[in-house]
Amino acid sequence: MTNRSLDSLPPTETLEIETGLSLTPRVKLLLTVHRADRSVKPLDEWKLKRSLIDFLKASFYVTLSDDDVAVRKFKDAKKRKREDSVARGALFIRDLGFLSKPFSRSGVGGEGREGVEELERKFVEWRRGVVEKMDGIELNLEGVKYRLSVAVPVTDDFQGMRKEWEELSAFGNRGYSRGGRQQPDTIVLRGVPSRWFAEPRVSSKPSMLVTHTIFSAFGKIRNLNVAEDDDLGKDEDEDSGDIVSGLQCKIVVQFENYKDFHAALKVLSGRSLQKQGSRLKADYEVTWDKDGFFRNTRNETEDKSIRMPPLGAGNYRSEAYRRQSHFSRYSPDNERTKRFKV
């Protein structure tokens, strides 16, 4: 895979990557549900899902399955204030091929950068139109009215993220790249299945080697970190089941240059991860690193090394082990590093 192929990839096409994984296009919309009348009757999630599916089919001619709409009620809805939301969730539109058909017939799309940019503009405009039409609508579920708020998540708005880091750069904030260049170079990916980044028949925990192989397709990597990620989507107010520990991981990738970072983030934004032979679609979140993850990790490691007393001969740890501990705080072959008071 080259940067040229990434730049020429339309937002409606699937990208095949390493180890049987693929990035499939999607439109993700965040849903927030409020009461629109004085009723305190509990929200029926199934009726809400069916109402949204029917609305989208009638208004935009798109077909969704029950799995494409997820709604979670808040606990103790009767005790919440009237202006508070009673539920929230997400809606996914995955079949986007119809957006590229007119361009293919006219011979404009699919070939060259100009065609891709035109399709990107059409995609963004269509998504904006869906949001504008859905945001603020009232749903009548057998006499009970609810008002719906709809928004595109920040992590699916690539142009918005780019505008954010360009504005930070313009105002002279501290840069992220070497040489004082104020450009980001690190992406943060959350909510991907750990087993998809593990070594087959070796472990269910993500492997640094496998993860490095997958993300090397986007460009040359400078630093990589993989860790368990059980906090994504967890909310103590939501009426949902417990999250099983270790099923998801968080991946932080620092690229050697801005160009590779830019191409990787653009392709990852607005897509879901799918594994060959699996029906599961991992609707991860991806963003750029605003906090200097590797810089802060390095500073913490250096600070600890100053405070740590010298280890005796019986407790000797090699320099390679210390570098590995700094490189990743999660290893597929070992348990989490235990903490000791000194």
Side-chain angles (χ1 to χ4, degrees):
M1 186 186 306
T2 64
N3 282 332
R4 183 177 181 181
S5 64
L6 292 179
D7 289 337
S8 62
L9 184 72
T12 57
E13 287 190 12
T14 296
L15 177 66
E16 303 290 339
I17 52 179
E18 301 291 334
T19 66
L21 295 174
S22 60
L23 295 169
T24 59
R26 60 118 195 267
V27 168
K28 178 180 179 180
L29 302 178
L30 300 179
L31 311 175
T32 307
V33 185
H34 292 80
R35 296 187 182 95
D37 56 23
R38 295 182 178 275
S39 174
V40 293
K41 186 177 180 180
L43 173 69
D44 188 319
E45 299 105 313
W46 185 84
K47 291 179 181 178
L48 177 63
K49 290 170 64 172
R50 294 310 312 172
S51 180
L52 288 173
I53 290 172
D54 293 341
F55 173 81
L56 285 164
K57 183 177 181 180
S59 301
F60 301 100
Y61 309 103
V62 295
T63 302
L64 282 75
S65 68
D66 289 343
D67 294 336
D68 293 329
V69 184
V71 179
R72 293 189 178 93
K73 296 186 295 186
F74 289 114
K75 297 178 181 178
D76 301 323
K78 293 183 179 180
K79 299 180 181 179
R80 298 177 71 84
K81 297 179 181 179
R82 187 157 302 279
E83 62 272 16
D84 291 342
S85 57
V86 295
R88 67 181 177 186
L91 180 151
F92 298 90
I93 304 173
R94 304 187 188 276
D95 186 7
L96 302 173
F98 67 93
L99 288 171
S100 59
K101 288 180 181 179
F103 287 84
S104 298
R105 288 196 298 268
S106 63
V108 177
E111 296 292 338
R113 182 60 198 157
E114 292 183 1
V116 173
E117 290 176 351
E118 189 171 355
L119 183 53
E120 289 173 351
R121 285 193 294 270
K122 181 184 178 183
F123 170 78
V124 172
E125 290 173 1
W126 182 85
R127 185 178 62 182
R128 184 185 302 116
V130 174
V131 173
E132 291 176 351
K133 194 165 185 176
M134 292 185 65
D135 188 39
I137 65 172
E138 286 192 359
L139 301 173
N140 190 330
L141 306 181
E142 296 185 353
V144 182
K145 294 181 180 180
Y146 296 95
R147 187 179 72 257
L148 189 68
S149 297
V150 180
V152 176
V154 174
T155 56
D156 271 31
D157 182 11
F158 173 75
Q159 297 299 333
M161 288 189 287
R162 186 171 67 177
K163 182 179 179 181
E164 183 181 17
W165 77 62
E166 287 177 348
E167 288 179 348
L168 287 174
S169 177
F171 282 101
N173 283 7
R174 188 172 182 179
Y176 292 88
S177 299
R178 293 179 179 177
R181 295 184 63 191
Q182 298 180 4
Q183 292 180 324
D185 56 12
T186 304
I187 63 172
V188 181
L189 194 73
R190 303 188 64 184
V192 292
S194 298
R195 66 181 185 274
W196 288 0
F197 293 83
E199 295 185 41
R201 299 181 297 277
V202 174
S203 173
S204 62
K205 297 180 180 180
S207 160
M208 291 292 291
L209 178 60
V210 173
T211 305
H212 190 280
T213 300
I214 293 171
F215 283 93
S216 291
F218 297 101
K220 192 173 181 180
I221 295 174
R222 178 182 300 164
N223 281 313
L224 180 67
N225 182 277
V226 185
E228 288 182 356
D229 188 24
D230 300 325
D231 296 328
L232 182 66
K234 183 185 291 187
D235 192 315
E236 61 182 8
D237 292 330
E238 287 185 1
D239 188 9
S240 58
D242 295 332
I243 298 176
V244 180
S245 176
L247 292 184
Q248 295 182 333
C249 62
K250 173 182 176 181
I251 301 171
V252 186
V253 186
Q254 183 182 37
F255 291 95
E256 285 285 353
N257 58 68
Y258 171 78
K259 185 178 180 181
D260 290 342
F261 154 83
H262 183 279
L265 183 59
K266 184 177 181 180
V267 169
L268 288 165
S269 179
R271 283 183 167 85
S272 300
L273 192 66
Q274 193 166 10
K275 179 78 170 180
Q276 185 177 8
S278 174
R279 296 179 59 186
L280 174 66
K281 291 183 175 63
D283 299 308
Y284 57 80
E285 295 181 0
V286 63
T287 187
W288 61 288
D289 175 31
K290 307 176 183 67
D291 304 319
F293 176 86
F294 290 106
R295 181 178 64 249
N296 294 336
T297 303
R298 182 173 62 252
N299 291 341
E300 291 175 4
T301 303
E302 292 173 352
D303 182 61
K304 289 179 181 179
S305 66
I306 295 174
R307 291 185 283 109
M308 279 288 289
L311 294 172
N315 295 322
Y316 175 77
R317 294 184 178 185
S318 68
E319 182 63 23
Y321 178 89
R322 287 196 294 272
R323 285 199 302 269
Q324 181 182 357
S325 299
H326 162 64
F327 193 70
S328 173
R329 54 190 174 91
Y330 182 85
S331 171
D333 300 318
N334 299 286
E335 299 294 333
R336 283 178 172 270
T337 305
K338 296 181 180 180
R339 297 179 179 177
F340 299 92
K341 293 183 179 180
V342 296

